[in-house]
Amino acid sequence: MALSMRCTVKSVFRFIHKSNSHRRLFKAGKATGATSLLKGQVFSGIQPTGVPHLGNYLGALESWVALQDEYSAVMYSIVDLHSITQPQDPQMLRDNIQDMAASLLACGIDPTRAILFQQSQVSEHAELSWILGCLTSMPRLRHLPQWKMKSKQKNEGSVGLYTYPVLQAADILLYKSTHVPVGEDQIQHLELAQDLARIFNNQYGEFFPEPCALLSGTRKVKSLRDPSSKMSKSDPQKLATVFLTDTPDDIALKIRRAVTDFTSEVTYEPESRPGVSNLVSMHAAVSGQSVEEVVRLAEGMDTGQYKNVVAEAIVQRFQPIRLEIQRLRADRGHLESLLAKGAEKARSLAAPVMTEIRKLVGFY
């Protein structure tokens, strides 16, 4: 099926579709004559690992919010089943789910325009994962990068860690998703979902569409203390990561301490000057300007002065989000109610699809 030809190109995203052994890259460009929402099912998920950081927002959440204005059907899941592939304290997990819900809402996810739900509250995800797992070979999973990386870190990995890309595929296919916003490091996992859709269709008849990837054009945000690695919640250096709940003073301190170099001029040279280039990239992203524009703005400043400008831009962008997260966190009942309503909507979509799958597989 030539689903890639139906992927409408929009200005914010790049679209990747895998067809057999070929991958096509659709570069960003404005759609013409589009006055209504695009058809298709958008799905993506995020693990409840606490409050998102600057990189999460610019690399994913900002795009998620924009997609609500692009597509007629949008779903976002807090994928708590995925989170338990690593040891979790139960109470901390509950708190993290609430924090993630509050953060998504504060960033602009609107439950009236998108379905926001907690993955574990829709049991069909796990059921479809088992069926797809029975169609997946062990060598196929062994070659996925996340397993290689995380199993090396722990010296060994759990069965859940080994098979969680299959659960990812189930998350996507359960809603017959056509578009999936992902990071570049997740492309191979999406390709598994495409492969499993094809395998299922070949075995049981045409049923699942092959989902396209939506890649944001935003550059990856690097660690403030080590610009050779990306910004991470798990970074042991507290000054390396800017969180959405950081106060203006927190942000100013972290940006002031950001690693740059001994050249005072502000330029954008990612290879030779990764530290200052990271600041330029962040400044451009949060201010809505191009890299060239913010570099021109910084003419005549040294990096110390420029850091103050960057910090102020980040504070202005995230202060309303920080305050809204605080407000939402204070009303756990409201968050629980929103997630319950979202799960009910998700189940209403998942149940009939799962009924058809059971019939196709031969369960009844």
Side-chain angles (χ1 to χ4, degrees), residues 245-314:
T245 50
D246 281 350
T247 66
D249 287 343
D250 292 333
I251 293 170
L253 174 62
K254 290 178 179 182
I255 298 299
R256 190 164 61 246
R257 298 285 182 85
V259 170
T260 50
D261 52 39
F262 297 106
T263 302
S264 62
E265 183 184 6
V266 176
T267 62
Y268 184 74
E269 302 170 68
E271 296 300 321
S272 59
R273 304 189 68 198
V276 71
S277 298
N278 188 38
L279 294 178
V280 168
S281 182
M282 285 190 292
H283 185 193
V286 299
S287 65
Q289 301 175 87
S290 68
V291 164
E292 292 76 17
E293 286 172 330
V294 297
V295 168
R296 282 198 298 270
L297 179 68
E299 286 180 3
M301 298 183 191
D302 60 31
T303 52
Q305 294 169 321
Y306 181 62
K307 285 179 178 181
N308 293 332
V309 174
V310 175
E312 181 59 28
I314 294 172

Side-chain angles (χ1 to χ4, degrees), residues 119-189:
Q119 178 195 33
S120 63
Q121 303 307 304
V122 183
S123 61
E124 287 85 354
H125 285 256
E127 184 178 357
L128 180 55
S129 179
W130 176 258
I131 293 171
L132 296 178
C134 293
L135 301 176
T136 310
S137 71
M138 293 180 68
R140 181 72 173 84
L141 295 180
R142 261 198 308 270
H143 287 95
L144 292 173
Q146 294 286 356
W147 166 255
K148 291 180 180 179
M149 178 182 69
K150 291 187 177 181
S151 61
K152 282 180 181 178
Q153 290 174 350
K154 300 290 183 180
N155 296 321
E156 60 181 35
S158 67
V159 173
L161 179 62
Y162 188 71
T163 62
Y164 98 90
V166 180
L167 178 57
Q168 272 188 326
D171 297 336
I172 295 164
L173 298 179
L174 180 59
Y175 303 100
K176 293 191 171 182
S177 305
T178 56
H179 299 85
V180 184
V182 292
E184 291 190 11
D185 58 346
Q186 290 290 323
I187 285 296
Q188 286 186 278
H189 288 182

